């Protein structure tokens, strides 16, 4: 696990260097903040759905119920 974490950390560090070179430090911080806000809202909405309607399954169960069964199937396979 330590080796895997070190490899992931190195990959993020190298990718972050290329991003800062292209967008600059301000652009990288703005992009990181935007994605962080989107992930926050996604996780809170998933938590609210799990509290409102607990089901025996993962998040693709909610996609199958609220959107379409084919979307839930695709989410399950992609995950």
């Amino acid at each position: 696990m330590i080796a895997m974490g070190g490899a992931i950390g190195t990959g993020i560090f190298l990718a972050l260097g290329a991003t800062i070179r292209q967008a600059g430090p301000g652009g990288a911080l703005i992009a990181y903040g935007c994605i962080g806000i989107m992930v926050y809202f996604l996780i809170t909405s998933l938590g609210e759905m799990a509290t409102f309607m607990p089901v025996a399954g993962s998040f693709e169960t909610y996609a199958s119920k609220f959107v379409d069964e084919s979307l839930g199937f695709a989410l399950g396979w992609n995950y």
Side-chain angles (χ1 to χ4, degrees):
M1 293 301 285
I2 291 173
M4 193 164 58
I8 291 171
T10 303
I12 289 174
F13 181 72
L14 291 175
L16 185 62
T19 302
I20 290 175
R21 184 180 52 155
Q22 289 177 354
L29 285 175
I30 290 171
Y32 185 78
C34 289
I35 296 299
I37 289 170
M38 287 175 19
V39 168
Y40 171 75
F41 286 131
L42 179 99
I43 295 300
T44 55
S45 65
L46 187 59
E48 287 181 8
M49 284 192 295
T51 303
F52 175 68
M53 189 180 65
V55 294
S58 186
F59 58 90
E60 65 264 4
T61 306
Y62 297 114
S64 295
K65 181 164 181 68
F66 293 118
V67 181
D68 191 25
E69 288 189 15
S70 61
L71 178 66
F73 179 78
L75 281 174
W77 273 97
N78 284 330
Y79 185 66

